[in-house]
Amino acid sequence: MPETIQGYIEAVEEQIRWRRARSVVSLELRRHLEDQRDDFAAEGLEDAERLAVEEMGDPVSVGTELDRLHRPRPQWGLLGLTIALACVGAFLRVWLTRGDGADAVSPVMTALALTLGTAALLGAYFWDFTALIRHPRAIYAGALAAGVLSWLLPHVNNAAYYTRYIILLYPVVYALWLYSCRGSSWRHFVLALAGGIPLALICMLAPFSFGLFILLVCGLILLLCAVRMGWFGPGRWKFAGTALALAVGVPVLFFGMGYGASFIMRLRFAFHPELDPYGSGYWGWMTRMTLRDVPFIRWDEHASFGIASRGRAYCSWFGEKSYVEFSMDQDFVPLKLLVGWGWLAYLLLMAAIAALLVWLLIRCLRQKQQLGRLTALAVVMSLGLETLFSAALNLGFVMFSSHLPLIVGNLHTVLDLALIGLALSVFRGGSILRNEPPEETRQSVFPWRVKISIISSMKT
């Protein structure tokens, strides 16, 4: 039986097979033993450290029980579904664009993207998520720097191409920022709000209106969740007041910055593209015309529908048999699947993606560690919004240009796989994640229920 705290902890660690769990368990165990030693010393007892160690019990039994409780939770089902969808997306990008000439997706580049994406997925899955907990503000500063530096790279169509991909990571970055601002004073809450401003400015600098929209929606929900979890002090009134202030203040700010009129115009032409079929409503009108005669299942082959880069839109006012053709970029790969193979293929694809998102959301809501839950929620919300607006885009309701996660875009797929891997890392390590209180209120958080169960089992 060890007589020192360090010796006891080392004996316990030898029984724990998961390396990531050892540091977490040893930290909590050390806090508890040192508190107990200090209590014995305050009572005037000699050999306080030895008494604290003896009270804890046999280190082998304690370590064995902690090893049973702290094991990784494999996410093989989610991993398999994610990789399967990524493979389907790679096949569709190559197959449905193979007749597009210069616009055809390269099979070599697609295979490379799928390989890199799978590596990013598995790397994030096996990665130690607690590194984010230890360095949230450093990650926030790095994300800001990456956004600014990528903006200096050559632009494509007057937009910062690579900055847009970095912006899609900003909901997760903002969740980490909120975690770093925990505290019971209003200063912490104001600091949490202010952290979203630089991220929004980079979205406007890009410019990337859809990225700004995702950041605003996800950021507001994440902030409300943080308030609800008590990160900025107790009190339901603070949650209700924050919700009301944000509900009123954000639209006012949005319209005051000149985005309101543009948003209303987008919304108007999304539902009524026929009001300006050769202008703002062009893509929506063309897409709807293309979908008019699509069957539920297409058995025959029509190169002009499913394979070529041009969609065929029939127009009633040009005559019964008149049509116009329009080119479709990669964002319309789901549309090419729909008109090429029918509604059934499209619905099966969307159902698989929806199943993945719902599965991720269920696992997210079951997480007890607050930052892990908020980080996974940021991932699910980002991918969910992209899926929603991509589905709308490919059905003729054009609000934003959005990609379908895991299906559209090689670089997008790599990013999507990395984000999903981060969420799965949270789920896998849920048994060792702890809700660390703010630094000024931090105290011993050793799981007493574990200790009690160990002692009771030893007595029986």
Short mmCIF file of all heavy atoms in Angstrom, two decimals, residues 209-261:
data_model
loop_
_atom_site.label_atom_id
_atom_site.label_comp_id
_atom_site.label_asym_id
_atom_site.label_seq_id
_atom_site.Cartn_x
_atom_site.Cartn_y
_atom_site.Cartn_z
N SER A 209 -21.91 36.01 -47.67
CA SER A 209 -23.18 36.27 -46.99
C SER A 209 -23.76 35.02 -46.34
O SER A 209 -24.32 35.09 -45.24
CB SER A 209 -24.20 36.86 -47.97
OG SER A 209 -24.38 36.00 -49.08
N PHE A 210 -23.61 33.86 -46.99
CA PHE A 210 -24.14 32.64 -46.39
C PHE A 210 -23.34 32.25 -45.15
O PHE A 210 -23.89 31.78 -44.16
CB PHE A 210 -24.11 31.50 -47.42
CG PHE A 210 -24.74 30.23 -46.92
CD1 PHE A 210 -25.99 30.25 -46.33
CD2 PHE A 210 -24.10 29.01 -47.04
CE1 PHE A 210 -26.59 29.08 -45.86
CE2 PHE A 210 -24.67 27.84 -46.60
CZ PHE A 210 -25.93 27.88 -46.00
N GLY A 211 -22.02 32.45 -45.19
CA GLY A 211 -21.21 32.20 -44.01
C GLY A 211 -21.59 33.11 -42.86
O GLY A 211 -21.62 32.68 -41.70
N LEU A 212 -21.90 34.38 -43.17
CA LEU A 212 -22.35 35.31 -42.14
C LEU A 212 -23.69 34.86 -41.56
O LEU A 212 -23.91 34.93 -40.34
CB LEU A 212 -22.47 36.72 -42.72
CG LEU A 212 -22.98 37.81 -41.78
CD1 LEU A 212 -22.05 37.99 -40.59
CD2 LEU A 212 -23.16 39.12 -42.53
N PHE A 213 -24.57 34.38 -42.42
CA PHE A 213 -25.88 33.91 -41.97
C PHE A 213 -25.71 32.70 -41.04
O PHE A 213 -26.34 32.63 -39.97
CB PHE A 213 -26.74 33.54 -43.18
CG PHE A 213 -28.07 32.97 -42.83
CD1 PHE A 213 -29.13 33.79 -42.47
CD2 PHE A 213 -28.30 31.59 -42.86
CE1 PHE A 213 -30.37 33.26 -42.15
CE2 PHE A 213 -29.53 31.05 -42.54
CZ PHE A 213 -30.57 31.90 -42.18
N ILE A 214 -24.87 31.75 -41.41
CA ILE A 214 -24.63 30.58 -40.56
C ILE A 214 -24.04 31.00 -39.22
O ILE A 214 -24.44 30.51 -38.16
CB ILE A 214 -23.70 29.58 -41.27
CG1 ILE A 214 -24.41 28.93 -42.46
CG2 ILE A 214 -23.22 28.50 -40.31
CD1 ILE A 214 -23.54 27.96 -43.23
N LEU A 215 -23.08 31.91 -39.26
CA LEU A 215 -22.44 32.37 -38.02
C LEU A 215 -23.45 33.05 -37.11
O LEU A 215 -23.44 32.81 -35.88
CB LEU A 215 -21.30 33.32 -38.36
CG LEU A 215 -20.57 33.94 -37.16
CD1 LEU A 215 -19.90 32.84 -36.33
CD2 LEU A 215 -19.54 34.96 -37.62
N LEU A 216 -24.33 33.89 -37.67
CA LEU A 216 -25.32 34.58 -36.85
C LEU A 216 -26.31 33.61 -36.22
O LEU A 216 -26.57 33.66 -35.02
CB LEU A 216 -26.07 35.62 -37.69
CG LEU A 216 -25.32 36.90 -38.05
CD1 LEU A 216 -26.16 37.77 -38.97
CD2 LEU A 216 -24.94 37.68 -36.80
N VAL A 217 -26.84 32.70 -37.03
CA VAL A 217 -27.84 31.75 -36.51
C VAL A 217 -27.21 30.83 -35.47
O VAL A 217 -27.73 30.67 -34.35
CB VAL A 217 -28.45 30.94 -37.67
CG1 VAL A 217 -29.36 29.84 -37.12
CG2 VAL A 217 -29.24 31.84 -38.59
N CYS A 218 -26.09 30.22 -35.82
CA CYS A 218 -25.43 29.30 -34.88
C CYS A 218 -24.93 30.05 -33.65
O CYS A 218 -25.05 29.55 -32.52
CB CYS A 218 -24.26 28.60 -35.57
SG CYS A 218 -24.74 27.48 -36.91
N GLY A 219 -24.36 31.23 -33.86
CA GLY A 219 -23.84 32.00 -32.73
C GLY A 219 -24.91 32.37 -31.73
O GLY A 219 -24.70 32.28 -30.51
N LEU A 220 -26.08 32.78 -32.22
CA LEU A 220 -27.16 33.16 -31.31
C LEU A 220 -27.66 31.95 -30.52
O LEU A 220 -27.90 32.03 -29.31
CB LEU A 220 -28.31 33.79 -32.10
CG LEU A 220 -28.01 35.13 -32.77
CD1 LEU A 220 -29.22 35.61 -33.54
CD2 LEU A 220 -27.58 36.16 -31.75
N ILE A 221 -27.80 30.82 -31.20
CA ILE A 221 -28.27 29.61 -30.50
C ILE A 221 -27.22 29.14 -29.49
O ILE A 221 -27.57 28.76 -28.36
CB ILE A 221 -28.59 28.51 -31.52
CG1 ILE A 221 -29.77 28.93 -32.40
CG2 ILE A 221 -28.92 27.20 -30.81
CD1 ILE A 221 -30.10 27.95 -33.51
N LEU A 222 -25.95 29.17 -29.87
CA LEU A 222 -24.90 28.78 -28.94
C LEU A 222 -24.84 29.70 -27.73
O LEU A 222 -24.65 29.24 -26.59
CB LEU A 222 -23.55 28.78 -29.67
CG LEU A 222 -23.35 27.73 -30.76
CD1 LEU A 222 -22.03 27.95 -31.48
CD2 LEU A 222 -23.42 26.32 -30.19
N LEU A 223 -25.03 31.00 -27.95
CA LEU A 223 -25.00 31.95 -26.85
C LEU A 223 -26.16 31.70 -25.89
O LEU A 223 -25.99 31.72 -24.66
CB LEU A 223 -25.05 33.38 -27.39
CG LEU A 223 -25.02 34.50 -26.34
CD1 LEU A 223 -23.74 34.44 -25.53
CD2 LEU A 223 -25.17 35.86 -27.01
N LEU A 224 -27.34 31.46 -26.43
CA LEU A 224 -28.50 31.17 -25.58
C LEU A 224 -28.29 29.87 -24.80
O LEU A 224 -28.66 29.77 -23.63
CB LEU A 224 -29.76 31.08 -26.43
CG LEU A 224 -30.26 32.40 -27.03
CD1 LEU A 224 -31.45 32.15 -27.95
CD2 LEU A 224 -30.64 33.39 -25.94
N CYS A 225 -27.70 28.87 -25.45
CA CYS A 225 -27.41 27.62 -24.74
C CYS A 225 -26.40 27.84 -23.61
O CYS A 225 -26.55 27.28 -22.52
CB CYS A 225 -26.86 26.58 -25.72
SG CYS A 225 -28.08 25.94 -26.90
N ALA A 226 -25.39 28.68 -23.88
CA ALA A 226 -24.39 28.96 -22.85
C ALA A 226 -25.01 29.68 -21.66
O ALA A 226 -24.71 29.37 -20.50
CB ALA A 226 -23.26 29.81 -23.44
N VAL A 227 -25.91 30.63 -21.93
CA VAL A 227 -26.61 31.34 -20.84
C VAL A 227 -27.49 30.37 -20.08
O VAL A 227 -27.54 30.39 -18.84
CB VAL A 227 -27.43 32.50 -21.41
CG1 VAL A 227 -28.27 33.16 -20.32
CG2 VAL A 227 -26.52 33.55 -22.05
N ARG A 228 -28.17 29.50 -20.82
CA ARG A 228 -29.07 28.53 -20.18
C ARG A 228 -28.30 27.56 -19.29
O ARG A 228 -28.80 27.11 -18.26
CB ARG A 228 -29.83 27.75 -21.27
CG ARG A 228 -30.84 26.76 -20.73
CD ARG A 228 -31.98 27.47 -20.04
NE ARG A 228 -32.97 26.55 -19.53
CZ ARG A 228 -32.88 25.91 -18.37
NH1 ARG A 228 -31.83 26.10 -17.58
NH2 ARG A 228 -33.83 25.10 -17.97
N MET A 229 -27.06 27.23 -19.66
CA MET A 229 -26.25 26.30 -18.87
C MET A 229 -25.57 26.99 -17.69
O MET A 229 -24.84 26.35 -16.93
CB MET A 229 -25.21 25.62 -19.76
CG MET A 229 -25.80 24.64 -20.73
SD MET A 229 -24.55 23.69 -21.69
CE MET A 229 -23.78 24.99 -22.65
N GLY A 230 -25.77 28.31 -17.55
CA GLY A 230 -25.22 29.03 -16.40
C GLY A 230 -23.78 29.45 -16.54
O GLY A 230 -23.11 29.70 -15.54
N TRP A 231 -23.27 29.56 -17.78
CA TRP A 231 -21.89 29.96 -17.97
C TRP A 231 -21.61 31.39 -17.53
O TRP A 231 -20.48 31.75 -17.25
CB TRP A 231 -21.48 29.79 -19.43
CG TRP A 231 -21.24 28.36 -19.80
CD1 TRP A 231 -21.52 27.25 -19.06
CD2 TRP A 231 -20.65 27.87 -21.02
NE1 TRP A 231 -21.17 26.12 -19.72
CE2 TRP A 231 -20.62 26.45 -20.93
CE3 TRP A 231 -20.16 28.48 -22.16
CZ2 TRP A 231 -20.12 25.66 -21.94
CZ3 TRP A 231 -19.66 27.68 -23.18
CH2 TRP A 231 -19.63 26.29 -23.07
N PHE A 232 -22.66 32.22 -17.50
CA PHE A 232 -22.48 33.63 -17.15
C PHE A 232 -23.26 33.98 -15.88
O PHE A 232 -23.69 35.11 -15.69
CB PHE A 232 -22.92 34.52 -18.31
CG PHE A 232 -22.26 34.15 -19.60
CD1 PHE A 232 -22.97 33.54 -20.61
CD2 PHE A 232 -20.91 34.38 -19.79
CE1 PHE A 232 -22.36 33.17 -21.80
CE2 PHE A 232 -20.29 34.02 -20.97
CZ PHE A 232 -21.01 33.42 -21.97
N GLY A 233 -23.44 32.99 -15.02
CA GLY A 233 -24.12 33.22 -13.75
C GLY A 233 -25.52 32.64 -13.77
O GLY A 233 -26.12 32.45 -14.83
N PRO A 234 -26.07 32.34 -12.59
CA PRO A 234 -27.41 31.75 -12.51
C PRO A 234 -28.50 32.79 -12.76
O PRO A 234 -28.26 33.99 -12.76
CB PRO A 234 -27.47 31.23 -11.07
CG PRO A 234 -26.57 32.18 -10.31
CD PRO A 234 -25.46 32.53 -11.26
N GLY A 235 -29.71 32.29 -12.99
CA GLY A 235 -30.86 33.17 -13.12
C GLY A 235 -31.57 33.01 -14.46
O GLY A 235 -30.97 33.24 -15.51
N ARG A 236 -32.84 32.62 -14.39
CA ARG A 236 -33.61 32.49 -15.62
C ARG A 236 -33.88 33.84 -16.26
O ARG A 236 -34.05 33.94 -17.47
CB ARG A 236 -34.93 31.77 -15.32
CG ARG A 236 -34.76 30.32 -14.89
CD ARG A 236 -36.12 29.67 -14.70
NE ARG A 236 -35.97 28.27 -14.32
CZ ARG A 236 -36.99 27.44 -14.08
NH1 ARG A 236 -38.23 27.89 -14.20
NH2 ARG A 236 -36.76 26.19 -13.73
N TRP A 237 -33.95 34.89 -15.43
CA TRP A 237 -34.21 36.21 -15.98
C TRP A 237 -33.11 36.63 -16.94
O TRP A 237 -33.35 37.34 -17.92
CB TRP A 237 -34.33 37.23 -14.84
CG TRP A 237 -33.07 37.38 -14.04
CD1 TRP A 237 -32.70 36.68 -12.93
CD2 TRP A 237 -32.00 38.29 -14.32
NE1 TRP A 237 -31.46 37.09 -12.49
CE2 TRP A 237 -31.01 38.07 -13.32
CE3 TRP A 237 -31.78 39.26 -15.29
CZ2 TRP A 237 -29.82 38.81 -13.28
CZ3 TRP A 237 -30.60 39.98 -15.26
CH2 TRP A 237 -29.64 39.75 -14.27
N LYS A 238 -31.89 36.20 -16.68
CA LYS A 238 -30.79 36.55 -17.57
C LYS A 238 -30.95 35.85 -18.91
O LYS A 238 -30.69 36.44 -19.97
CB LYS A 238 -29.47 36.16 -16.92
CG LYS A 238 -28.24 36.63 -17.72
CD LYS A 238 -26.94 36.28 -17.01
CE LYS A 238 -26.77 37.11 -15.75
NZ LYS A 238 -25.43 36.91 -15.13
N PHE A 239 -31.42 34.61 -18.87
CA PHE A 239 -31.65 33.89 -20.12
C PHE A 239 -32.78 34.55 -20.91
O PHE A 239 -32.66 34.80 -22.12
CB PHE A 239 -32.01 32.43 -19.82
CG PHE A 239 -32.44 31.65 -21.03
CD1 PHE A 239 -31.50 31.17 -21.92
CD2 PHE A 239 -33.78 31.40 -21.27
CE1 PHE A 239 -31.89 30.45 -23.05
CE2 PHE A 239 -34.18 30.68 -22.38
CZ PHE A 239 -33.22 30.20 -23.27
N ALA A 240 -33.90 34.86 -20.23
CA ALA A 240 -35.03 35.48 -20.91
C ALA A 240 -34.66 36.86 -21.44
O ALA A 240 -35.03 37.25 -22.56
CB ALA A 240 -36.23 35.58 -19.96
N GLY A 241 -33.92 37.64 -20.63
CA GLY A 241 -33.52 38.97 -21.08
C GLY A 241 -32.58 38.92 -22.26
O GLY A 241 -32.69 39.73 -23.20
N THR A 242 -31.66 37.95 -22.25
CA THR A 242 -30.74 37.80 -23.36
C THR A 242 -31.49 37.42 -24.64
O THR A 242 -31.22 37.96 -25.72
CB THR A 242 -29.68 36.73 -23.04
OG1 THR A 242 -29.00 37.11 -21.85
CG2 THR A 242 -28.70 36.58 -24.17
N ALA A 243 -32.41 36.48 -24.52
CA ALA A 243 -33.19 36.05 -25.69
C ALA A 243 -33.98 37.21 -26.29
O ALA A 243 -34.02 37.40 -27.50
CB ALA A 243 -34.12 34.90 -25.30
N LEU A 244 -34.61 38.01 -25.42
CA LEU A 244 -35.39 39.14 -25.91
C LEU A 244 -34.51 40.19 -26.56
O LEU A 244 -34.84 40.74 -27.62
CB LEU A 244 -36.18 39.75 -24.74
CG LEU A 244 -37.08 40.95 -25.08
CD1 LEU A 244 -38.14 40.54 -26.10
CD2 LEU A 244 -37.74 41.51 -23.81
N ALA A 245 -33.38 40.49 -25.91
CA ALA A 245 -32.48 41.51 -26.45
C ALA A 245 -31.92 41.09 -27.81
O ALA A 245 -31.83 41.90 -28.74
CB ALA A 245 -31.34 41.77 -25.47
N LEU A 246 -31.56 39.81 -27.93
CA LEU A 246 -31.04 39.33 -29.20
C LEU A 246 -32.12 39.29 -30.28
O LEU A 246 -31.86 39.61 -31.44
CB LEU A 246 -30.43 37.94 -29.02
CG LEU A 246 -29.17 37.87 -28.16
CD1 LEU A 246 -28.74 36.42 -27.97
CD2 LEU A 246 -28.04 38.67 -28.79
N ALA A 247 -33.33 38.89 -29.89
CA ALA A 247 -34.42 38.82 -30.86
C ALA A 247 -34.74 40.19 -31.45
O ALA A 247 -35.15 40.30 -32.61
CB ALA A 247 -35.67 38.23 -30.19
N VAL A 248 -34.56 41.24 -30.65
CA VAL A 248 -34.85 42.60 -31.12
C VAL A 248 -33.60 43.25 -31.71
O VAL A 248 -33.66 43.89 -32.77
CB VAL A 248 -35.41 43.47 -29.97
CG1 VAL A 248 -35.60 44.90 -30.43
CG2 VAL A 248 -36.72 42.87 -29.46
N GLY A 249 -32.47 43.07 -31.04
CA GLY A 249 -31.28 43.80 -31.43
C GLY A 249 -30.64 43.32 -32.72
O GLY A 249 -30.20 44.14 -33.54
N VAL A 250 -30.59 42.01 -32.94
CA VAL A 250 -29.93 41.49 -34.13
C VAL A 250 -30.63 41.90 -35.41
O VAL A 250 -29.98 42.36 -36.36
CB VAL A 250 -29.79 39.96 -34.03
CG1 VAL A 250 -29.29 39.38 -35.35
CG2 VAL A 250 -28.83 39.59 -32.92
N PRO A 251 -31.97 41.78 -35.53
CA PRO A 251 -32.62 42.27 -36.75
C PRO A 251 -32.41 43.76 -36.98
O PRO A 251 -32.21 44.20 -38.12
CB PRO A 251 -34.10 41.94 -36.52
CG PRO A 251 -34.09 40.81 -35.56
CD PRO A 251 -32.93 41.07 -34.66
N VAL A 252 -32.44 44.55 -35.90
CA VAL A 252 -32.21 45.99 -36.04
C VAL A 252 -30.81 46.24 -36.57
O VAL A 252 -30.60 47.05 -37.49
CB VAL A 252 -32.43 46.70 -34.69
CG1 VAL A 252 -31.97 48.16 -34.78
CG2 VAL A 252 -33.90 46.64 -34.29
N LEU A 253 -29.81 45.55 -36.01
CA LEU A 253 -28.44 45.71 -36.48
C LEU A 253 -28.30 45.21 -37.91
O LEU A 253 -27.61 45.83 -38.73
CB LEU A 253 -27.51 44.93 -35.55
CG LEU A 253 -26.02 44.96 -35.90
CD1 LEU A 253 -25.48 46.38 -35.81
CD2 LEU A 253 -25.23 44.04 -34.97
N PHE A 254 -28.97 44.11 -38.22
CA PHE A 254 -28.89 43.51 -39.56
C PHE A 254 -29.42 44.48 -40.61
O PHE A 254 -28.80 44.70 -41.65
CB PHE A 254 -29.70 42.21 -39.56
CG PHE A 254 -29.47 41.35 -40.77
CD1 PHE A 254 -28.25 40.72 -40.97
CD2 PHE A 254 -30.46 41.16 -41.70
CE1 PHE A 254 -28.03 39.91 -42.07
CE2 PHE A 254 -30.26 40.36 -42.80
CZ PHE A 254 -29.03 39.74 -42.99
N PHE A 255 -30.56 45.09 -40.33
CA PHE A 255 -31.14 46.04 -41.27
C PHE A 255 -30.34 47.34 -41.28
O PHE A 255 -30.20 47.98 -42.32
CB PHE A 255 -32.60 46.32 -40.92
CG PHE A 255 -33.55 45.28 -41.43
CD1 PHE A 255 -33.79 44.11 -40.72
CD2 PHE A 255 -34.21 45.45 -42.63
CE1 PHE A 255 -34.65 43.14 -41.19
CE2 PHE A 255 -35.08 44.49 -43.11
CZ PHE A 255 -35.31 43.33 -42.39
N GLY A 256 -29.83 47.74 -40.12
CA GLY A 256 -29.07 48.98 -40.04
C GLY A 256 -27.79 48.93 -40.85
O GLY A 256 -27.30 49.96 -41.33
N MET A 257 -27.21 47.74 -41.00
CA MET A 257 -25.97 47.59 -41.77
C MET A 257 -26.24 47.43 -43.26
O MET A 257 -25.30 47.25 -44.04
CB MET A 257 -25.19 46.38 -41.25
CG MET A 257 -24.72 46.54 -39.82
SD MET A 257 -23.91 45.04 -39.18
CE MET A 257 -22.50 44.91 -40.27
N GLY A 258 -27.50 47.47 -43.67
CA GLY A 258 -27.83 47.41 -45.09
C GLY A 258 -28.09 46.04 -45.63
O GLY A 258 -28.30 45.88 -46.84
N TYR A 259 -28.11 45.01 -44.76
CA TYR A 259 -28.34 43.65 -45.22
C TYR A 259 -29.83 43.29 -45.28
O TYR A 259 -30.20 42.30 -45.88
CB TYR A 259 -27.61 42.65 -44.33
CG TYR A 259 -26.12 42.63 -44.51
CD1 TYR A 259 -25.30 43.43 -43.74
CD2 TYR A 259 -25.55 41.81 -45.47
CE1 TYR A 259 -23.91 43.42 -43.92
CE2 TYR A 259 -24.16 41.80 -45.66
CZ TYR A 259 -23.36 42.60 -44.88
OH TYR A 259 -22.00 42.61 -45.06
N GLY A 260 -30.66 44.09 -44.65
CA GLY A 260 -32.07 43.76 -44.57
C GLY A 260 -32.76 43.77 -45.91
O GLY A 260 -33.49 42.85 -46.28
N ALA A 261 -32.53 44.84 -46.70
CA ALA A 261 -33.18 44.95 -48.01
C ALA A 261 -32.74 43.81 -48.93
O ALA A 261 -33.54 43.23 -49.66
CB ALA A 261 -32.87 46.30 -48.62
#
